[in-house]
């Protein structure tokens, strides 16, 4: 479904746009499109393109209704930024009317047209009305996407815009989408700043970047030795770190170096190395397992990492090597690590 929705060759007619929106209003589809970064062609197509296609389609509808050029991506983007900033999805109906028709404040006679446009958006399902004064976009993910697009434009004009946003936790998801909209120099500059402030957020951002994703991942891996209290960090972020960091074989040398660390860095390195090089990760991880029989945490994660990669014949050999390594062990911690 995602491949079809993000195919730039498909021209969304009015009926298809409505059908697509009906699908995207299901949270499971919307979340899948916005959180799963996909590389569908050499140029890279972001799933957010499907949502933008829908919004542009409604822009055309409103332009026909009002006889004016209505650009919903621009009009709603600033409102979305304000909503994320305030930490709530609700927008005032009056602010949306002004965003749709910026001349409304100086020309109150346009109020009827603005009301008509707003009713159309609510009837289409793009907005949800809570009462006469308060409305919101139909799903928070759409608010975050539109906010990310607008913030990226702001950062391109003035990189200092990023600083206050980095201090607000409710911007995390939108910031992970921002890199999709930045050009190459702006991407690299913004990512460096994000990495310096918030490693967990940098992992999410690397996944969505349109430029040099492999290089960004390299920067993240190189930063791990400088992370204070790595055990506490991985205790909070280990699953998302493992699932979101797009490693490949080019990162294997760095990950092998981290395998020799005597803390949580080795644990995450084992998991990532298995993803990056597959079966080639078995032997280096196994060697560390045999050397660190008293490290229960590394034993658990390292064992899980290679268990998905070994064959039955390899397992017999591994058991024999562990039996030899643990012969005569009396230390209980070592026994549990070996197990």
């Amino acid at each position: 479904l995602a491949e079809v929705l993000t195919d730039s060759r498909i021209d969304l007619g009015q009926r298809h746009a409505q059908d697509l929106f009906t699908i995207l209003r299901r949270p499971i589809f919307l979340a899948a499109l916005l959180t799963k970064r996909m590389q569908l062609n050499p140029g890279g197509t972001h799933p957010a393109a499907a949502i933008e296609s829908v919004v542009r389609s409604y822009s055309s509808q409103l332009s026909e209704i009002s006889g004016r050029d209505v650009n919903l991506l621009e009009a709603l983007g600033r409102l979305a930024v304000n909503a994320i900033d305030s930490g709530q999805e609700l927008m005032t109906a009056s602010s949306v009317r002004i965003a749709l028709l910026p001349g409304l404040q100086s020309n109150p006679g346009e109020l009827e047209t603005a009301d008509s446009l707003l009713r159309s958006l609510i009837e289409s399902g793009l907005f949800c009305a809570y009462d006469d004064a308060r409305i919101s976009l139909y799903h928070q993910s759409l608010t975050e996407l539109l906010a990310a697009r607008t913030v990226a434009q702001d950062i391109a004009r003035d990189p200092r815009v990023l600083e206050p946003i980095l201090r607000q936790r409710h911007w995390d998801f939108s910031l992970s989408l921002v890199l999709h909209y930045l050009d190459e120099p702006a991407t690299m500059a913004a990512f460096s700043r994000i990495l310096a402030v918030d490693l967990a957020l940098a992992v999410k951002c690397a996944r969505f970047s349109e430029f040099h994703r492999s290089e960004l991942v390299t920067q993240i891996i190189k930063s791990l030795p400088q992370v204070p209290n790595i055990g506490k960090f991985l205790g909070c972020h280990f699953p998302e770190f493992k699932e979101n960091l797009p490693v490949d074989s080019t990162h294997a040398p760095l990950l092998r170096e981290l395998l020799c660390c005597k803390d949580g860095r080795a644990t995450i390195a084992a998991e990532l190395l298995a993803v990056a090089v597959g079966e080639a990760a078995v032997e280096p991880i196994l060697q560390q397992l045999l050397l660190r029989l008293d490290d229960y945490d590394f034993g658990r994660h390292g064992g899980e990492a290679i268990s998905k990669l070994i064959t039955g014949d390899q397992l017999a050999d591994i058991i024999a090597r562990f039996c030899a390594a643990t012969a005569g062990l009396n230390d209980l911690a070592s026994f549990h690590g070996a197990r």
Side-chain angles (χ1 to χ4, degrees):
L1 176 66
E3 289 182 22
V4 172
L5 298 185
T6 56
D7 190 333
S8 59
R9 295 168 299 178
I10 295 177
D11 180 25
L12 284 174
Q14 188 54 56
R15 183 179 64 81
H16 293 316
Q18 182 61 52
D19 292 342
L20 174 55
F21 182 60
T22 300
I23 293 172
L24 293 179
R25 290 197 75 239
R26 301 282 296 275
I28 187 171
F29 288 118
L30 182 67
L33 282 169
L34 286 178
T35 59
K36 183 134 184 100
R37 177 67 179 90
M38 303 178 68
Q39 197 74 19
L40 299 176
N41 55 52
T45 302
H46 196 287
I51 286 86
E52 291 181 21
S53 295
V54 172
V55 176
R56 287 194 182 94
S57 169
Y58 283 110
S59 295
S60 300
Q61 282 188 54
L62 297 186
S63 295
E64 291 177 11
I65 293 171
S66 65
R68 296 164 179 78
D69 182 22
V70 177
N71 185 335
L72 283 178
L73 288 173
E74 299 296 333
L76 301 181
R78 190 59 58 188
L79 291 175
V81 169
N82 294 338
I84 301 292
D85 258 338
S86 63
Q88 58 181 348
E89 299 177 56
L90 290 179
M91 307 172 185
T92 64
S94 59
S95 67
V96 177
R97 291 189 190 97
I98 292 171
L100 295 172
L101 291 180
L104 183 61
Q105 287 177 302
S106 58
N107 185 4
E110 297 274 30
L111 182 59
E112 186 176 343
T113 302
D115 279 338
S116 176
L117 296 181
L118 185 56
R119 280 196 303 273
S120 294
L121 288 175
I122 294 171
E123 289 168 1
S124 72
L126 193 63
F127 272 93
C128 298
Y130 292 86
D131 52 42
D132 290 341
R134 300 177 304 158
I135 61 176
S136 73
L137 288 160
Y138 77 92
H139 195 277
Q140 185 175 348
S141 296
L142 181 57
T143 307
E144 290 167 330
L145 171 68
L146 293 174
R149 185 178 182 276
T150 300
V151 165
Q153 294 170 346
D154 293 343
I155 292 173
R157 288 190 291 266
D158 182 0
R160 292 173 297 180
V161 168
L162 182 61
E163 294 301 320
I165 292 175
L166 279 173
R167 294 194 291 269
Q168 301 179 58
R169 181 59 62 190
H170 46 261
W171 269 99
D172 276 11
F173 186 73
S174 284
L175 277 177
S176 69
L177 294 169
V178 162
L179 294 195
H180 162 62
Y181 292 105
L182 293 175
D183 62 18
E184 185 172 355
T187 291
M188 302 309 287
F191 182 80
S192 295
R193 185 61 192 138
I194 292 169
L195 180 58
V197 174
D198 190 333
L199 175 59
L201 178 58
V203 171
K204 296 177 185 176
C205 290
R207 183 167 169 240
F208 284 94
S209 173
E210 294 295 305
F211 301 100
H212 305 299
R213 275 199 291 166
S214 182
E215 183 179 330
L216 300 184
V217 172
T218 296
Q219 290 185 43
I220 290 172
I221 295 173
K222 285 183 175 179
S223 75
L224 287 175
Q226 284 76 51
V227 176
N229 200 349
I230 188 67
K232 182 178 180 181
F233 172 81
L234 290 176
C236 297
H237 301 289
F238 187 88
E240 62 190 76
F241 204 99
K242 181 177 69 172
E243 294 167 9
N244 289 330
L245 199 63
V247 293
D248 57 43
S249 58
T250 62
H251 305 116
L254 286 171
L255 294 171
R256 287 193 178 97
E257 288 180 22
L258 287 179
L259 270 181
C260 299
C261 294
K262 301 301 181 183
D263 54 27
R265 295 171 181 85
T267 301
I268 190 64
E271 296 270 12
L272 294 177
L273 187 62
V275 174
V277 296
E279 293 180 9
V282 172
E283 186 57 32
I285 294 175
L286 180 59
Q287 289 176 7
Q288 288 298 318
L289 286 169
L290 292 167
L291 290 171
R292 301 159 69 165
L293 296 173
D294 59 344
D295 189 336
Y296 178 77
D297 196 48
F298 182 82
R300 183 165 62 90
H301 289 283
E304 286 180 8
I306 65 173
S307 69
K308 307 177 184 71
L309 304 171
I310 56 179
T311 64
D313 291 338
Q314 288 175 306
L315 180 59
D317 176 64
I318 289 170
I319 291 174
R321 290 169 69 178
F322 268 106
C323 286
T326 57
L329 274 183
N330 294 317
D331 179 62
L332 187 61
S334 296
F335 171 77
H336 282 304
R339 184 181 66 180

